[in-house]
Amino acid sequence: MDFLNAERLNKRRTAHRIKALLIAAAITFLFASPAPADWNTGVGGNGARDGYAPVTGPSIPEILWEGSRPAIVSQQAACDGTILVVSRITSFTIPTGAWIVAHDLNSGEELWAVQLPYDFPGTSWRSRLSAIRDGQVYATRAGNTNLDYLYALDENDGSILWQSEDLIDEGSTESLAFAPDGDLIAGNFSSLLRINHTDGATVWQTNRSTPTSNGAQATVYGDRVYLWEPSPYGPVVTAFDLANGDRLYSSDALSAGIIQQLGLMCGSDGTIYAPRSMNNPSTDYFVALTDTGAGFTEKWRYPICYLPFASFCVGPDGSVFTYSRDYEIVALDPDTGAELAVSDPIPHGTTFAARIAVDERGWIYLTNGGFEDGAVFAFNPGLTLAWSEPLVGVNVGGPVLADNGALVVCGTGTDVRAYRGPISAVGEPLASGPKLINLPNPFAGRTEIRFQLAQAGPVTLRILDVRGRLVRGLLEGAPAAAGENQSFWDGCLQAGRPAPAGVYFAALSTADGDQIRKLILRR
């Protein structure tokens, strides 16, 4: 066989391998995978609040970096690309006792620290992070039923980009949700707001009420916003129109009582998961609801323990994760509620405020909400414990699965830790097959595509659409060195025009093997 024929055969083989990988990836995307994270954290990440991050987390507890400003109470962090932002309560003094701090995700270096304007002396609370997306950090002094402005900060230096037109009263354990275009959905105690993400203007505002803190936050799926509301018979789930804020319909009361300290979550199939927990066996259930378009029907319910301020997640295969009355993690069938896997009981203190995240392999990362007995845990997809480490004062301080695979958790003192993920690993032997990641993801404009090779050799890297058609050829048999390599996609088609927003795939073919990476392009 001459050289030209061999080259043509290799190209055909590469194309067939990439096509097969793409078909498998597309099937996973269309029928199993939850939506990718808008901001990576265990209590949201996207409007559905499903705790899923499309990255591979750490398999061993190796520290990438640790340390931040001291804190006496820990709170949730969030990350966007290579920026990690944390709230650090250095004292209970208002207005100066709390800082919003940005760190470089790879090194832990402090990039900036700010305190928000003190707009309402006597009622403004602590400076606090709520969410992060597309280069904007969202923060407020609202909390403890005190209304205040929402601020958008520049991710690069912490400077104020805008102040919201209206006030919000988001609780200290709650966070914003996002509409698909990036607008902010704030679930207040007395209202529901959609806030324009470019200037802070109110798009619409609808009156509502909520039973208690942490249950006020909104959940977004499709063209609906879902919230808890009270009724004479107990909390109900209400659907609102995402476009205009109209109240549409409510469920029946899911159980008696008024306490509601858990947010709603949506599954990848649109199922609404409504956790009810007030330390009463007659009321404490994890309820699955179907939105019929005109109301709600109950699919199933599962008995759960008392776990205020906790979060839940949906795995890459659609499995739903909650907690049994024996404080175990349980994986449930989304159609029937049947138990698929159960962990050993999770050690915890007086209050089990578990927070959870899941990676693209189905690995579970959990913090137990403890103080002196706080800890972080990692479980494989069968819910067998892989590793755990103490984390004093974790409270609601984690977990975050970052774009480079790092796991970040927050404790008290200066204890903010980034556990090394596979892409951020240094000096580790490479496993067979290339490793592929892009940062940021989702992205608008340009994304960096990194891949690691065990040996030098030619590589082909292409951007494909969900039907396997070529969108852009980045590398075609180009030489690449052993170790980490990089390329870039500017979000444009082969002809140079901007590609429409949507889902794409980076397809890498090397002598080590092939990899597919799902990309989310925003406009």
Side-chain angles (χ1 to χ4, degrees):
M1 182 181 295
D2 61 34
F3 174 77
L4 289 177
N5 286 336
E7 185 178 23
R8 292 191 190 101
L9 180 59
N10 285 335
K11 285 185 175 180
R12 286 199 298 271
R13 286 172 175 167
T14 296
H16 286 311
R17 290 200 309 269
I18 290 176
K19 183 177 181 181
L21 278 170
L22 180 70
I23 291 171
I27 290 172
T28 299
F29 164 71
L30 291 172
F31 298 106
S33 294
D38 292 327
W39 50 286
N40 285 355
T41 168
V43 293
N46 50 47
R49 299 190 181 277
D50 60 19
Y52 174 77
V55 299
T56 299
S59 300
I60 57 174
E62 181 185 357
I63 294 292
L64 176 64
W65 59 263
E66 56 187 329
S68 184
R69 297 201 174 196
I72 56 177
V73 177
S74 62
Q75 292 188 289
Q76 182 72 48
C79 118
D80 181 32
T82 59
I83 304 293
L84 176 83
V85 183
V86 295
S87 299
R88 303 301 285 169
I89 302 174
T90 59
S91 78
F92 291 137
T93 302
I94 295 174
T96 59
W99 292 84
I100 299 169
V101 185
H103 292 272
D104 182 280
L105 179 63
N106 294 311
S107 67
E109 175 190 0
E110 182 178 306
L111 302 176
W112 50 261
V114 300
Q115 295 178 331
L116 298 178
Y118 191 47
D119 295 304
F120 303 103
T123 61
S124 288
W125 220 36
R126 306 182 188 100
S127 299
R128 185 183 66 82
L129 167 71
S130 180
I132 183 171
R133 172 170 162 166
D134 294 341
Q136 295 191 163
V137 177
Y138 299 103
T140 183
R141 282 187 181 268
N144 203 25
T145 73
N146 296 329
L147 281 78
D148 217 305
Y149 291 109
L150 177 70
Y151 286 91
L153 309 179
D154 189 307
E155 186 181 88
N156 295 310
D157 59 13
S159 60
I160 294 174
L161 300 174
W162 53 252
Q163 170 191 290
S164 63
E165 176 183 356
D166 288 300
L167 304 179
I168 68 170
D169 61 352
E170 182 176 86
S172 62
T173 59
E174 296 173 336
S175 56
L176 298 162
F178 290 97
D181 66 354
D183 281 355
L184 308 158
I185 308 299
N188 294 338
F189 273 88
S190 58
S191 66
L192 173 67
L193 284 87
R194 179 167 179 164
I195 299 171
N196 188 299
H197 68 285
T198 64
D199 60 8
T202 298
V203 179
W204 50 254
Q205 180 167 292
T206 300
N207 291 335
R208 58 79 68 113
S209 60
T210 189
T212 47
S213 62
N214 205 67
Q217 63 187 7
T219 298
V220 177
Y221 187 91
D223 59 358
R224 295 287 188 265
V225 180
Y226 299 105
L227 297 167
W228 282 113
E229 289 196 299
S231 82
Y233 309 102
V236 300
V237 173
T238 300
F240 295 80
D241 189 296
L242 178 61
N244 56 31
D246 287 350
R247 175 183 273 99
L248 301 175
Y249 39 80
S250 298
S251 70
D252 294 332
L254 299 188
S255 60
I258 60 172
I259 302 299
Q260 183 46 56
Q261 296 176 302
L262 296 166
L264 301 172
M265 178 182 74
C266 288
S268 53
D269 61 354
T271 298
I272 301 97
Y273 296 104
R276 284 283 294 118
S277 183
M278 53 184 289
N279 204 18
N280 185 333
S282 68
T283 61
D284 294 1
Y285 285 88
F286 186 75
V287 183
L289 301 171
T290 297
D291 184 344
T292 66
F296 297 95
T297 58
E298 183 173 321
K299 291 173 66 175
W300 48 262
R301 58 175 55 200
Y302 183 89
I304 59 175
C305 56
Y306 179 53
L307 59 165
F309 314 123
S311 70
F312 307 83
C313 69
V314 177
D317 63 352
S319 301
V320 183
F321 294 85
T322 184
Y323 314 93
S324 75
R325 290 188 175 167
D326 293 322
Y327 300 96
E328 305 151 325
I329 306 172
V330 290
L332 303 178
D333 185 293
D335 296 321
T336 66
E339 291 183 355
L340 302 175
V342 180
S343 75
D344 289 334
I346 307 299
H348 64 282
T350 304
T351 301
F352 182 53
R355 297 215 158 188
I356 194 169
V358 59
D359 76 0
E360 61 190 358
R361 303 169 300 168
W363 274 59
I364 296 292
Y365 301 91
L366 177 135
T367 53
N368 67 354
F371 287 86
E372 264 111 53
D373 46 10
V376 55
F377 304 85
F379 296 84
N380 66 27
L383 293 183
T384 299
L385 181 66
W387 56 267
S388 67
E389 291 204 313
L391 181 62
V392 174
V394 62
N395 190 31
V396 293
V400 177
L401 282 171
D403 284 339
N404 66 352
L407 170 70
V408 181
V409 289
C410 299
T412 51
T414 61
D415 197 0
V416 171
R417 306 178 201 171
Y419 289 100
R420 193 186 301 276
I423 295 297
S424 59
V426 177
E428 290 184 6
L430 291 172
S432 60
K435 296 178 180 179
L436 178 67
I437 192 172
N438 73 297
L439 300 170
N441 191 22
F443 71 99
R446 188 175 88 150
T447 185
E448 179 184 6
I449 301 174
R450 302 176 187 172
F451 55 92
Q452 289 186 333
L453 302 180
Q455 58 184 341
V459 300
T460 295
L461 178 62
R462 298 167 180 163
I463 305 299
L464 309 173
D465 66 15
V466 294
R467 295 176 61 183
R469 297 173 299 190
L470 179 68
V471 173
R472 182 76 175 270
L474 302 179
L475 301 171
E476 292 290 341
E484 185 169 292
N485 296 266
Q486 65 180 15
S487 183
F488 297 91
W489 183 38
D490 59 6
C492 291
L493 304 171
Q494 195 78 9
R497 299 188 308 276
V503 176
Y504 296 89
F505 292 91
L508 177 69
S509 180
T510 77
D512 294 338
D514 305 311
Q515 277 286 336
I516 286 284
R517 173 77 175 175
K518 182 171 63 181
L519 314 179
I520 308 296
L521 173 61
R522 293 202 181 101
R523 292 297 184 194

